[in-house]
Amino acid sequence: MPNTPVSFMEKEKKPKSAQAISIRIALPALLTIVLFVTATFIIILPTLKNSLLDKKREMLRELNTIVWDTVAFYEKLAREGTLSHEQAQKAVLGIIETLRYGPTNKDYFWVNDMNGLIVVHPYRPELQGEIVPDVRFPIGKNLLEEFVKVVQTQGAGYVEYMFQWQDDPEKIVPKLSYVRGFKPWGWVIGTGMYIDDVNVEIGLIAKQLNAVATAILLLVSFLALYIIRHSILADRVRRIIWEERERLLVALEESGERFRALVETTSDWIWETNVEGEYTYCSPKVNDLLGFLPEELIGKHLVDLVSIQEVERTSRIFKKLMESRKSFSGFETVCQARDGRVIVIEKNGVPVFNDSGELTGYRGVARDISERKNALEALRKSRDDLRVSLEETVKSLALAAEKRDPYTAGHQARVDYIACSIAREIGLSEERIEGLHFAALLHDIGKISLPSEYLAKPARLSTQERAIIKCHSEVGYEILKNIPFPWPVAEIVYQHHEHLDGSGYPRGLTDRDILLEAKILTVADVVEAMSSHRPYRPSLGLETAIEEIRSGRGVLYHAESVDACLRLIAEKKIDLTASAW
């Protein structure tokens, strides 16, 4: 009996001891799972989602900038007169309408105007000239007004809204778009991404993490139950747990090392500088690019790496960057590697500010673009070769036309010579002169379809025959209109018999509707034709040709072109005598 209380206490003590062991074992495991789940779903996944969204937003901005630059290029062509306003807009809208990107190649770009009306939408062509209601507002609020408002207030920015899923108008989902205004044409250029795309990616990651968490939970639960049921093996179990902990710590350290190695072996050179332009950090990639160890560049100025010829330019640009306190991209520096190689480096950077808002320097990435520069040079050479080929092709076409009219052989070449001389005299750009050159060589290509007996007729043509001959401008246009010249060659050929007062043919255009190149070509054609022999008459003489353009100056013929032609003849800068040909 005396032993009974003791035995009872021992029995009571043992459960308490087992319970304490169970708590000590289960509590850390439970806390680990709770912390893991908390960190995963409260910290890691939101951070990952925000990071992914930031990258997607940046991608939208960069893609939008590419299209904006394309529109700006065509606007420049229209401003310079290479294309008409309508041709430039039609050409660039055709490009925008066909652009696609994304995993399924269905993401797109659209354009609306500052009145909130659609200009072009690849999946909703029926909306052109219409407003687009925002499905978030049952009363049909115009979604495009939000885009216009962002452009008016910020110039460019992001807008969240609901819209159809790619090319499926029945499926309405959240969307984030980046819009940017193009002021010269009053356009708003936009493209967007679907928030569901990001959610799907995050969902896949969450599923994987859920599976890992479940597996860990099951494993830890099994171990905890095993330890609780075998309390007598607690020490051994604790050793197992300790060893497992050590293994996990080693694995974590190894994972950290792998992550650090991944960052430091990225294909880009990661760098930081202070406000003086001295490097404060360089990733090991700089050794591959320039042959210098990272520690060798700490304290060096960025101009210390550029070639001597580039020092002044680089210093000047860097000073402007410091003054602007803005991000930059595409900053090219010509650097000299340790072994003497010249390497073109492209740098992108962002400003770094301290808590007081003071600029402390820049950080960014740099990459070797030497191969890209070489490829561009090869592309330019290819372009030059194509132009040579185009020259030969055009000359062959011109020769084919002259074969039909042997009495005017050389006429197109002489008109080309005169027209280009006039164009240079009045200060036309070489780019436009090149287009005029091809148009002059082909301006009578339409005669290839005319009866040869009309072209070689020794007497004056009848009214009906003259009417047929006049069709050659339109025929030439039809032959050339589908050839993708980078200049309006077909239209110049079409207009080369038009007069300023509308008395020309075939369309009776007036001054403001006639291209400058066509006006120049008209003057050159008249001078050459009147000063040369024809089957139905001898040469009328250079003086007669001069008198014709002088009397028609400002009425029939472009005044500046006439003045330039008269100067060239008076100063003998062009020779129109037969012996010169």
Side-chain angles (χ1 to χ4, degrees), residues 550-564:
R550 182 181 285 126
S551 63
R553 179 186 182 277
V555 179
L556 301 178
Y557 312 118
H558 182 231
E560 190 176 2
S561 298
V562 170
D563 294 342

Side-chain angles (χ1 to χ4, degrees), residues 233-516:
L233 301 175
D235 290 338
R236 181 181 175 186
V237 172
R238 282 195 294 272
R239 285 196 299 270
I240 294 174
I241 294 175
W242 183 262
E243 291 171 358
E244 183 70 10
R245 177 177 175 275
E246 288 296 315
R247 187 186 67 79
L248 290 174
L249 289 174
V250 170
L252 182 61
E253 185 177 353
E254 291 175 351
S255 177
E257 290 295 332
R258 284 195 297 270
F259 178 74
R260 188 180 301 108
L262 180 64
V263 171
E264 293 189 348
T265 57
T266 180
S267 59
D268 290 333
W269 164 24
I270 302 172
W271 53 266
E272 288 185 357
T273 65
N274 57 23
V275 290
E276 284 77 30
E278 297 171 343
Y279 289 105
T280 57
Y281 171 78
C282 287
S283 68
K285 184 62 180 178
V286 71
N287 190 28
D288 296 334
L289 291 180
L290 301 174
F292 296 100
L293 295 174
E295 54 269 23
E296 291 183 276
L297 298 185
I298 303 302
K300 295 282 188 181
H301 196 280
L302 61 89
V303 298
D304 293 337
L305 298 178
V306 303
S307 59
I308 297 176
Q309 298 85 348
E310 291 289 311
V311 169
E312 182 180 352
R313 183 188 72 88
T314 304
S315 299
R316 184 175 65 254
I317 295 176
F318 175 73
K319 183 179 179 181
K320 290 182 179 180
L321 290 175
M322 291 296 104
E323 293 172 352
S324 71
R325 299 162 59 92
K326 296 180 180 179
S327 301
F328 64 86
S329 61
F331 175 28
E332 294 183 9
T333 57
V334 180
C335 297
Q336 189 162 0
R338 184 190 290 275
D339 58 8
R341 289 178 298 118
V342 175
I343 300 173
V344 182
I345 299 293
E346 180 184 72
K347 289 186 175 181
N348 301 325
V350 294
V352 179
F353 301 94
N354 59 20
D355 295 338
S356 302
E358 298 175 344
L359 181 68
T360 60
Y362 272 80
R363 73 164 57 100
V365 296
R367 59 178 60 94
D368 182 0
I369 61 168
S370 300
E371 291 186 5
R372 188 174 78 191
K373 299 289 285 187
N374 293 335
L376 287 174
E377 185 61 32
L379 185 61
R380 281 193 288 269
K381 184 179 183 302
S382 176
R383 179 200 62 189
D384 294 340
D385 292 342
L386 285 174
R387 290 201 171 181
V388 171
S389 177
L390 177 62
E391 179 84 22
E392 295 303 319
T393 302
V394 167
K395 286 183 178 179
S396 297
L397 285 173
L399 182 61
E402 289 186 348
K403 292 294 184 182
R404 298 274 298 159
D405 187 8
Y407 290 98
T408 58
H411 167 69
Q412 295 179 119
R414 291 192 291 272
V415 170
D416 170 40
Y417 165 65
I418 298 170
C420 291
S421 298
I422 293 173
R424 289 191 179 89
E425 181 70 13
I426 66 176
L428 209 63
S429 70
E430 286 301 319
E431 178 69 19
R432 295 181 69 179
I433 291 174
E434 188 172 10
L436 174 61
H437 161 65
F438 287 119
L441 289 177
L442 296 170
H443 75 280
D444 278 342
I445 189 68
K447 289 184 178 180
I448 200 170
S449 66
L450 301 178
S452 57
E453 57 269 22
Y454 288 8
L455 299 174
K457 187 175 181 179
R460 287 200 171 274
L461 299 174
S462 66
T463 302
Q464 183 179 3
E465 290 168 340
R466 288 177 61 83
I468 294 174
I469 289 291
K470 287 183 177 182
C471 292
H472 77 278
S473 296
E474 187 172 358
V475 173
Y477 171 77
E478 293 297 325
I479 292 173
L480 300 173
K481 68 179 183 180
N482 293 323
I483 300 177
F485 289 105
W487 318 275
V489 172
E491 191 61 35
I492 297 171
V493 170
Y494 205 177
Q495 297 179 7
H496 80 277
H497 278 297
E498 302 287 357
H499 292 154
L500 303 184
D501 61 358
S503 63
Y505 64 87
R507 291 178 287 177
L509 302 179
T510 56
D511 185 4
R512 65 179 183 177
D513 299 319
I514 304 173
L515 296 174
L516 175 57

Side-chain angles (χ1 to χ4, degrees), residues 64 96 108-112 147 177-180 188-192:
N64 188 289
I96 294 173
Y108 59 91
F109 300 85
W110 80 87
V111 177
N112 58 270
F147 299 154
S177 289
Y178 182 84
V179 293
R180 181 176 179 183
V188 177
I189 302 167
T191 188

Side-chain angles (χ1 to χ4, degrees), residues 72 87 126 135 147 158 171 173 227 289 462 479 483 488 561 566:
Q87 288 173 330
E126 76 278 3
V135 298
F147 299 154
Y158 297 92
K171 183 179 178 182
V173 295
I227 295 170
L289 291 180
S462 66
I479 292 173
I483 300 177
S561 298
L566 294 177

